[in-house]
């Protein structure tokens, strides 16, 4: 029998360096960006503001943009990049049983919406510009031109 002393926390983000990205709802573009990050964000049932703060800090400081020597040594802040954040509960897919995934660990709206909004606000503050968003809970179509490609997966359970 396994006994867990604390609940598992791991806000997840998939960060894609893009030349451009947009999110559409009902064939209408809600948000569009140029050079920067498309971020898919998943919120777990036990996430809190400290997870938001850690993730924002890591993403804002992530050095994956080329410097004058073609070396990935600049952050999104250094290159005045833009960000588009799309909520993505499917990042918590459990596929251990059968072939139909379960998303039982994904946070419900009362937890995930405020944390998603906090993440977007704080990321905007960190990079010095507003962040584009999707619409929480809506069926969205995301269009992007991946640059590199550079794709980084982060989760807050790997803080230490």
């Amino acid at each position: 029998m396994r006994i867990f002393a604390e609940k598992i926390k791991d806000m997840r983000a998939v960060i894609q360096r893009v030349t451009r990205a947009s999110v559409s709802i009902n064939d209408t573009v809600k948000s569009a960006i140029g050079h920067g990050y498309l971020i898919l964000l998943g919120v777990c049932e036990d996430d809190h503001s400290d997870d938001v703060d850690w993730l924002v800090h890591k993403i804002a400081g992530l050095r994956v943009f080329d410097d004058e020597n073609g070396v990935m040594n600049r952050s999104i802040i250094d290159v005045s990049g833009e960000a588009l954040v799309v909520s993505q509960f499917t990042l918590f897919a459990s596929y251990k049983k059968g072939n139909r995934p379960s998303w039982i660990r994904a946070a419900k709206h009362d937890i995930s919406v405020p944390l998603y909004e906090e993440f977007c606000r704080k990321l905007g503050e960190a990079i010095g510009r507003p962040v584009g968003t999707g619409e929480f809970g809506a069926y969205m179509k995301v269009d992007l031109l991946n640059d590199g490609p550079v794709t980084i997966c982060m989760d807050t359970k790997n803080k230490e």
Side-chain angles (χ1 to χ4, degrees), residues 31-93:
S31 296
I33 64 165
H35 190 62
Y37 291 147
L38 168 66
I39 301 169
L40 305 176
L41 183 71
V43 178
C44 183
E45 59 190 9
D46 298 313
D47 289 331
H48 299 286
S49 286
D50 60 327
D51 298 300
V52 169
D53 293 340
W54 183 86
L55 202 53
V56 164
H57 175 75
K58 292 301 278 187
I59 292 171
L62 187 64
R63 297 184 327 183
V64 296
F65 293 94
D66 291 349
D67 64 15
E68 62 279 353
N69 298 314
V71 176
M72 285 195 279
N73 200 27
R74 291 191 172 155
S75 72
I76 191 169
I77 298 166
D78 298 331
V79 299
S80 299
E82 299 179 275
L84 172 60
V85 181
V86 177
S87 61
Q88 189 74 36
F89 75 92
T90 60
L91 292 177
F92 288 101

Side-chain angles (χ1 to χ4, degrees), residues 21-159:
S22 65
V23 61
S24 299
I25 302 165
N26 297 323
D27 296 323
T28 301
V29 174
K30 167 124 177 21
S31 296
I33 64 165
H35 190 62
Y37 291 147
L38 168 66
I39 301 169
L40 305 176
L41 183 71
V43 178
C44 183
E45 59 190 9
D46 298 313
D47 289 331
H48 299 286
S49 286
D50 60 327
D51 298 300
V52 169
D53 293 340
W54 183 86
L55 202 53
V56 164
H57 175 75
K58 292 301 278 187
I59 292 171
L62 187 64
R63 297 184 327 183
V64 296
F65 293 94
D66 291 349
D67 64 15
E68 62 279 353
N69 298 314
V71 176
M72 285 195 279
N73 200 27
R74 291 191 172 155
S75 72
I76 191 169
I77 298 166
D78 298 331
V79 299
S80 299
E82 299 179 275
L84 172 60
V85 181
V86 177
S87 61
Q88 189 74 36
F89 75 92
T90 60
L91 292 177
F92 288 101
S94 175
Y95 42 84
K96 290 184 180 187
K97 294 185 194 175
N99 292 321
R100 184 169 187 264
S102 166
W103 293 281
I104 196 159
R105 289 199 49 233
K108 304 293 185 252
H109 282 88
D110 61 325
I111 295 169
S112 55
V113 171
L115 288 174
Y116 169 77
E117 290 172 351
E118 179 182 353
F119 177 86
C120 293
R121 180 180 47 79
K122 287 182 174 180
L123 182 62
E125 291 168 1
I127 67 172
R129 59 182 30 204
V131 169
T133 62
E135 184 177 311
F136 200 91
Y139 181 83
M140 297 174 276
K141 292 187 179 179
V142 178
D143 181 50
L144 70 134
L145 182 56
N146 202 319
D147 183 20
V150 174
T151 302
I152 308 287
C153 299
M154 288 186 185
D155 61 63
T156 58
K157 75 177 179 183
N158 292 321
K159 288 181 189 177

